[in-house]
Amino acid sequence: MPVERLVITPAVVERDAVLALAGELDMGCEDLLAEAVGEMLAAGYRRVVLDCAEISFCDSRGFSALLVARQTIQDAEGALALAAVPERLDNLLTLVGAEEIFAIAPTVEQARLLLAGLADGPRAEPA
């Protein structure tokens, strides 16, 4: 039986979808992440948090999957935040200037608050 390199555990916290990602975010994960995001959007959730605490690796294909997830959610008039980004992923995001692209928070709860603020107005800043 093949071992999944990326495991996505979906959860719902109040009005927000939380997808906990564990493992490697790389080639082969694109469809898995797109499917999980699509399921949450189909269920009516427009605020999605990706809990990145357990991501052990991310390459350019994984970053591309994050960009596609962000665009898919935006196309559905939703918002995406990354939470608990580990140091190695944070370094990659900084290297490519992604802190300008993604809403990033240190915890899932803070990411949820950030998304709630974004829903209140286009210029809302986290507390």
Side-chain angles (χ1 to χ4, degrees), residues 51-116:
D51 180 356
C52 302
E54 298 298 321
I55 291 178
S56 59
F57 176 80
C58 181
D59 64 9
S60 61
R61 295 289 292 266
F63 177 68
S64 177
L66 292 175
L67 289 173
V68 168
R70 177 184 171 270
Q71 189 61 53
T72 300
I73 293 166
Q74 283 188 331
D75 289 349
E77 298 182 2
L80 171 71
L82 305 181
V85 174
E87 184 178 358
R88 292 181 77 184
L89 178 56
D90 187 54
N91 291 340
L92 172 65
L93 296 175
T94 300
L95 181 69
V96 299
E99 67 273 4
E100 301 295 323
I101 300 169
F102 291 101
I104 301 173
T107 67
V108 169
E109 184 59 30
Q110 288 173 319
R112 292 182 57 242
L113 291 171
L114 177 61
L115 291 180

Side-chain angles (χ1 to χ4, degrees), residues 4-57:
E4 292 288 336
R5 292 192 332 222
L6 179 68
V7 175
I8 301 175
T9 305
V12 173
V13 181
E14 296 176 10
R15 296 179 43 197
D16 304 324
V18 177
L19 298 174
L21 309 179
E24 299 176 6
L25 196 55
D26 60 6
M27 185 175 72
C29 74
E30 296 104 327
D31 292 341
L32 189 61
L33 183 57
E35 182 179 325
V37 167
E39 288 173 2
M40 290 301 186
L41 292 173
Y45 297 99
R46 292 297 176 265
R47 297 189 322 218
V48 179
V49 175
L50 297 183
D51 180 356
C52 302
E54 298 298 321
I55 291 178
S56 59
F57 176 80

